[in-house]
Amino acid sequence: MSMMRKILPLLLTACLLTAMLPAAALAADTGRAIQLVSGGGGGNADNLSGGQADNVWFGNYYQRNDSTKDPVKWRVLSNAGGQLFLLADQNLEVFQYHTERENVTWETCTMRSWLNGYDAAYTDDNFLDAAFSDREQAAIAVTNVINYDNEEYDPGSGNFTDGGNDTTDRVFLLSIMDLYNRVYFPPKTSDLSTNTVYVADGGKLRSYMNPAGEADRWWLRSPGFTQKEAAFMEDLGGSVPEGNPVDNRNTAVRPAFNLNLSSVLFTSAADGGKSASGMDSGLAAVSSYSGKDWKLTLLDSTRAFAASDAMQGGNTVTFSYSGAQTGTNEYLSAVIVTGDDTIAYYGRILQLSRASGTASLTLPDGVTLGGATKLYVFNEQCNGDKRTDYASALCQVTPETLQAPSVIITALPDGKVGEAYSRTLAATGSVPITWSLASGSLPAGLTLSGDTISGTPTAAGTYTFTVKASNAAGSDSQELSIVIASVPVDPDPDKQPPVIIAPTADEKITAEAGGTVTLSVSARNARFYQWYVNDGSGFKAIPGATDADCTLSDLTAQHDGYRYYCVVTNAYGTVTSPVFTLDIPSTPVPATPPRTGDSTPLALYALLALLALATLTALTTARRRHG
């Protein structure tokens, strides 16, 4: 430790010089009740000043009693190097520096183990776990703690108490040297620390302590004049370097630690900063703030929140989100940040019950996104004034401009009673578009579902109605009409059902493979025709075969034995024709050779010529016989 003694004067000089630096070493405070840590978790909280000018509420510990934990207030000793150096505003506990009166240093004392939970005895009973959540602990820096020697007994003589080895800790006590640092304790800054109700009642040790709200003594980590004593701060102010016995039970604990600003997304006024009027249901303006008490919103890297598909219509922004955490105090929140990194608006726009979905928010009047004005959304657990909040990284939303719908369908086709009807409506504009019936009524039997009017009309008439297309940007309407015709009935004074005139009996129809054949019925009082075929699996209607004649083409041997009949109907009845059975021989019918030209007259002339020649020959022979 001799080297340390040589550099102490240099350290003191450096501290004094640091205290003299102008406040402009940090960027300007925006003066708002919610402030973005530089770069959104980048490590510079410009509005938090050291030298105990500002305070931060962080963690929870017993203060009113030994069963209820309340938010803890910490004084900012310094804001430098991306860290806040914090000291408890009040005495938080009553505990011994060391449980045995023996030579001990900060490295080996019981206090260090209890504050950080090092030894097995303090695994389940330590200040770190009792005061801070897991995510708060992740934001607490591991600090290289320098354990200075105590040279107060005889300064400069070489007589000193060895402070022991340096350590690395998350939570620790201040040293005598820290009290001399004018960055931490500027002139006229009080070093007194008052008791909470819990400490006044004796804390863990149930010891006698000064009343609540009154100053009391608190431990330092530096050794006293021997290693069986530890230095402390007197209740009347000022350090006592000679120390108290390390096992003293009437000295309070005032912890300190360094907080990584890279773990912080926002700072906000401890009271009302994130709970001002309107912030619980949408974006509201962030007010000015000149107070000194702040709370933190920690950046929770375990949250995989994302936003996409943002659209803007008017001053309404809609978007999809995913990866959100749900549960108690979980929200979808938003901020509007201006060019100088000022959070101008903040609000919780949706309390989350689903990890993904769609959401919308209304931009404040006069706010136009673009350029230096940006909209960010994020998923946060908002726990109320003075309590730490946790949030995902900011997700910038850059919406496309929504186009209001314009209905482009101006007419609908007519329909007929009993016949299926379907028509899709159409409109230009940004999707999704929602269709509704603004006025009037659809024909009986028809409904509007999505963008389609469909169904089967049940009553004739002319129906006029107005459809409305809507999206987040606006709406458009169009008046439409549908004429539903009744089923026509041919005049029939006798009101008789149809009668089949021909054929009167089943018929076999012979046809050739590859040929065509036409089946026909003749009926009286006929209105509708429908032909049916039985290919071996029962009679079925032939699509489109709705005339008195049914032509079958491209016949094959497979059609052999197919049976057909026709059902004839009108408004007064139905009649079925006899059955037609196809007969398609497997061997084609021999064809009659075609005649070439007209050879009948020539053959006749030849026969007559032969007869004439025979007659002439006979006459000649007779004549010769008779001389």
Side-chain angles (χ1 to χ4, degrees):
M1 300 296 291
S2 59
M3 180 61 69
M4 182 60 65
R5 294 199 307 274
K6 294 179 180 178
I7 65 172
L8 282 178
L10 297 177
L11 290 174
L12 288 172
T13 301
C15 291
L16 291 173
L17 290 175
T18 302
M20 297 172 62
L21 291 175
L26 292 178
D29 185 347
T30 66
R32 300 293 183 105
I34 303 176
Q35 300 202 31
L36 188 68
V37 170
S38 182
N44 189 10
D46 303 330
N47 56 306
L48 298 179
S49 299
Q52 306 178 54
D54 287 293
N55 305 307
V56 168
W57 293 83
F58 190 75
N60 300 275
Y61 199 68
Y62 306 108
Q63 296 174 76
R64 289 178 293 166
N65 51 54
D66 60 0
S67 61
T68 304
K69 293 181 181 180
D70 294 303
V72 180
K73 182 178 179 180
W74 305 82
R75 301 183 190 182
V76 180
L77 298 185
S78 72
N79 178 355
Q83 293 184 343
L84 297 179
F85 186 21
L86 303 176
L87 173 67
D89 178 61
Q90 288 185 284
N91 298 325
L92 293 182
E93 188 55 272
V94 182
F95 202 70
Q96 295 164 292
Y97 189 87
H98 193 62
T99 53
E100 300 292 335
R101 185 172 298 188
E102 59 186 3
N103 289 335
V104 70
T105 64
W106 171 253
E107 179 187 19
T108 58
C109 71
T110 305
M111 177 73 74
R112 176 171 176 256
S113 293
W114 172 73
L115 284 175
N116 295 278
Y118 291 148
D119 293 345
Y122 302 110
T123 299
D124 299 320
D125 177 21
N126 61 79
F127 178 78
L128 184 68
D129 289 335
F132 306 109
S133 69
D134 291 343
R135 286 172 291 184
E136 286 174 326
Q137 290 183 39
I140 296 175
V142 176
T143 300
N144 182 28
V145 178
I146 300 175
N147 295 305
Y148 301 105
D149 298 340
N150 185 337
E151 297 188 359
E152 296 293 324
Y153 179 70
D154 189 9
S157 68
N159 295 321
F160 60 89
T161 309
D162 187 359
N165 296 323
D166 295 342
T167 58
T168 53
D169 305 306
R170 289 189 174 182
V171 185
F172 48 91
L173 303 180
L174 296 187
S175 68
I176 295 175
M177 293 300 298
D178 291 328
L179 297 177
Y180 295 156
N181 190 328
R182 292 310 180 192
V183 173
Y184 307 155
F185 292 90
K188 298 183 181 180
T189 299
S190 173
D191 53 15
L192 298 179
S193 182
T194 58
N195 289 336
T196 64
V197 173
Y198 168 70
V199 169
D201 290 340
K204 291 178 68 69
L205 301 184
R206 292 292 186 263
S207 302
Y208 175 80
M209 302 294 291
N210 290 341
E214 292 189 11
D216 213 334
R217 63 181 66 183
W218 47 282
W219 291 111
L220 300 175
R221 73 173 184 270
S222 301
F225 285 174
T226 73
Q227 288 185 337
K228 290 183 180 180
E229 287 85 31
F232 66 95
M233 291 295 298
E234 184 55 65
D235 54 358
L236 299 178
S239 64
V240 182
E242 58 267 31
N244 258 339
V246 293
D247 61 345
N248 180 275
R249 299 173 61 89
N250 304 100
T251 304
V253 183
R254 193 182 186 189
F257 65 92
N258 282 291
L259 179 74
N260 285 321
L261 285 173
S262 60
S263 298
V264 182
L265 192 63
F266 302 127
T267 61
S268 56
D271 289 303
K274 294 173 72 176
S275 59
S277 176
M279 289 182 174
D280 57 348
S281 59
L283 288 167
V286 177
S287 62
S288 299
Y289 180 68
S290 58
K292 58 183 296 184
D293 290 344
W294 300 85
K295 61 172 281 185
L296 307 179
T297 298
L298 294 184
L299 181 62
D300 183 359
S301 59
T302 66
R303 295 173 182 248
F305 177 80
S308 61
D309 302 327
M311 301 293 290
Q312 180 177 347
N315 63 345
T316 299
V317 176
T318 60
F319 58 92
S320 299
Y321 69 89
S322 62
Q325 289 192 14
T326 61
T328 305
N329 299 334
E330 291 288 349
Y331 294 88
L332 183 58
S333 300
V335 292
I336 293 178
V337 179
T338 59
D340 56 356
D341 283 342
T342 296
I343 297 180
Y345 297 88
Y346 163 86
R348 297 177 292 282
I349 60 177
L350 179 65
Q351 187 163 16
L352 290 167
S353 58
R354 297 191 304 167
S356 60
T358 59
S360 64
L361 59 87
T362 301
L363 296 176
D365 291 341
V367 172
T368 301
L369 299 180
T373 302
K374 298 178 176 63
L375 170 65
Y376 297 91
V377 295
F378 54 100
N379 170 213
E380 72 169 333
Q381 183 184 98
C382 193
N383 295 309
D385 291 346
K386 298 181 181 177
R387 298 185 182 273
T388 302
D389 297 335
Y390 308 99
S392 68
L394 298 179
C395 185
Q396 185 175 355
V397 172
T398 307
E400 297 181 14
T401 302
L402 279 170
Q403 299 296 323
S406 177
V407 179
I408 59 176
I409 188 168
T410 58
L412 294 172
D414 296 341
K416 186 181 294 184
V417 171
E419 293 186 2
Y421 185 95
S422 180
R423 182 66 174 179
T424 299
L425 305 176
T428 61
S430 300
V431 294
I433 293 175
T434 302
W435 292 89
S436 61
L437 197 64
S439 64
S441 300
L442 295 174
L446 299 187
T447 59
L448 172 60
S449 178
D451 60 354
T452 302
I453 297 175
S454 62
T456 301
T458 60
T462 299
Y463 299 85
T464 300
F465 50 89
T466 300
V467 294
K468 182 179 180 180
S470 305
N471 64 14
S475 63
D476 186 35
S477 299
Q478 176 66 50
E479 185 178 85
L480 299 170
S481 294
I482 299 178
V483 177
I484 303 298
S486 60
V487 176
V489 179
D490 288 342
D492 186 358
D494 296 329
K495 298 184 179 179
Q496 297 295 319
V499 177
I500 299 291
I501 299 174
T504 58
D506 294 348
E507 292 185 358
K508 179 182 287 187
I509 306 298
T510 302
E512 296 178 8
T516 300
V517 68
T518 299
L519 311 179
S520 298
V521 295
S522 177
R524 184 173 60 249
N525 302 329
R527 178 65 184 89
F528 301 104
Y529 298 84
Q530 177 61 61
W531 285 86
Y532 290 79
V533 60
N534 185 347
D535 59 2
S537 59
F539 280 98
K540 299 176 182 177
I542 302 174
T546 56
D547 295 318
D549 296 330
C550 177
T551 298
L552 308 174
S553 58
D554 297 326
L555 297 174
T556 66
Q558 184 179 355
H559 290 87
D560 183 54
Y562 277 28
R563 304 173 68 201
Y564 298 82
Y565 66 72
C566 183
V567 176
V568 183
T569 61
N570 67 12
Y572 306 104
T574 299
V575 66
T576 301
S577 75
V579 174
F580 299 84
T581 303
L582 281 186
D583 179 24
I584 302 178
S586 59
T587 303
V589 177
T592 303
R595 292 179 293 183
T596 304
D598 191 0
S599 60
T600 302
L602 293 177
L604 180 59
Y605 295 154
L607 179 60
L608 292 176
L610 289 175
L611 291 174
L613 180 59
T615 302
L616 181 60
T617 302
L619 290 176
T620 302
T621 303
R623 286 178 180 173
R624 286 178 179 173
R625 282 180 187 172
H626 298 287

